[in-house]
Amino acid sequence: MKRRRKLSSEERELWDKVAASARAMHPKHPKPAETEPVLPPDPVLPPEKPPRFEAKAFRLGQTAAPPRHGHDLAPSIGEHLARQPVVMDRKAHRAMTRGKLEPEARLDLHGMTLSEAHPELIHFVLSAADRGCRLILVITGKGKRGLDDGPIPQRMGVLRHQVPHWLRLPPLGAVVMQVSEAHLKHGGSGAYYIYLRRR
């Protein structure tokens, strides 16, 4: 077994210098007592009781939105015509829709087929325009509900829906100024006032 060699006085002096200049990598700084507040112990709370459920009186569906009725998104012919801009004189238009103007000529298409009614309408409107008429009346009838066997619903009154369309097309579109649903006095929704342009 080797004996440990003792340091010489020179080695001891050198070691003391090194030890004096050495610094700790992670120095421990003791905290002063006044910076560490003494916290009181947490109070011991009694265990919370679970909330008691109370059922309130309610009615099934009370918060539901009200149902929408009907599925016909297209406006009726009368509504569609009422939304059209007024091109004719406004006073005359008001008097016409109130039934205060008397039509100068009338045509009854009630009971005709589409192929019969179309040429009759063209002849009537153009001849009335040639005579210098301004307000004429075309009666279509309200129509009957047909057999609805398919999944697509059928509109009532084929002529009632077709006549305003024909009046916009040539040759009638050039002479027709305004189309409006007639007043009840002259047939209501089963007839149309047709106001013609001045020739």
Side-chain angles (χ1 to χ4, degrees):
M1 189 172 173
K2 266 189 171 182
R3 273 184 131 190
R4 264 181 136 183
R5 184 174 75 79
K6 288 189 180 181
L7 296 174
S8 66
S9 58
E10 286 176 7
E11 288 172 338
R12 172 62 68 184
E13 192 180 331
L14 182 64
W15 174 253
D16 288 341
K17 281 182 184 178
V18 171
S21 65
R23 289 189 185 165
M25 285 180 69
H26 302 290
K28 290 183 181 178
H29 301 293
K31 290 182 182 178
E34 60 265 16
T35 61
E36 294 180 8
V38 179
L39 298 174
D42 292 339
V44 179
L45 297 173
E48 285 186 17
K49 290 182 180 178
R52 190 175 173 187
F53 177 75
E54 291 182 16
K56 294 179 182 178
F58 72 96
R59 186 173 49 80
L60 190 64
Q62 66 186 14
T63 58
R68 287 182 172 183
H69 296 293
H71 301 287
D72 187 13
L73 303 179
S76 69
I77 285 288
E79 289 170 351
H80 179 70
L81 291 174
R83 290 179 192 167
Q84 297 300 312
V86 177
V87 184
M88 61 186 282
D89 178 66
R90 286 193 176 274
K91 272 189 178 179
H93 182 265
R94 196 178 310 118
M96 178 183 77
T97 52
R98 290 178 180 176
K100 293 183 179 177
L101 293 182
E102 199 59 37
E104 299 164 66
R106 65 184 66 213
L107 171 68
D108 192 351
L109 300 175
H110 192 258
M112 292 188 189
T113 64
L114 290 174
S115 57
E116 293 168 342
H118 195 192
E120 281 291 324
L121 180 71
I122 292 171
H123 175 72
F124 170 71
V125 173
L126 293 179
S127 61
D130 288 339
R131 291 195 314 269
C133 297
R134 296 306 304 277
L135 179 62
I136 58 176
L137 181 73
V138 173
I139 300 161
T140 60
K142 293 181 183 178
K144 294 178 183 176
R145 186 172 292 282
L147 293 171
D148 194 0
D149 296 331
I152 300 170
Q154 296 174 357
R155 288 190 165 186
M156 272 179 58
V158 179
L159 276 176
R160 191 165 65 96
H161 285 85
Q162 196 61 40
V163 164
H165 176 65
W166 286 337
L167 292 168
R168 286 193 302 269
L169 297 176
L172 302 181
V175 296
V176 173
M177 182 183 276
Q178 193 90 41
V179 181
S180 179
E181 205 170 74
H183 187 266
L184 283 171
K185 174 182 172 182
H186 294 122
S189 60
Y192 294 110
Y193 292 132
I194 301 166
Y195 200 77
L196 302 176
R197 297 181 190 278
R198 212 182 283 279
R199 297 291 284 227

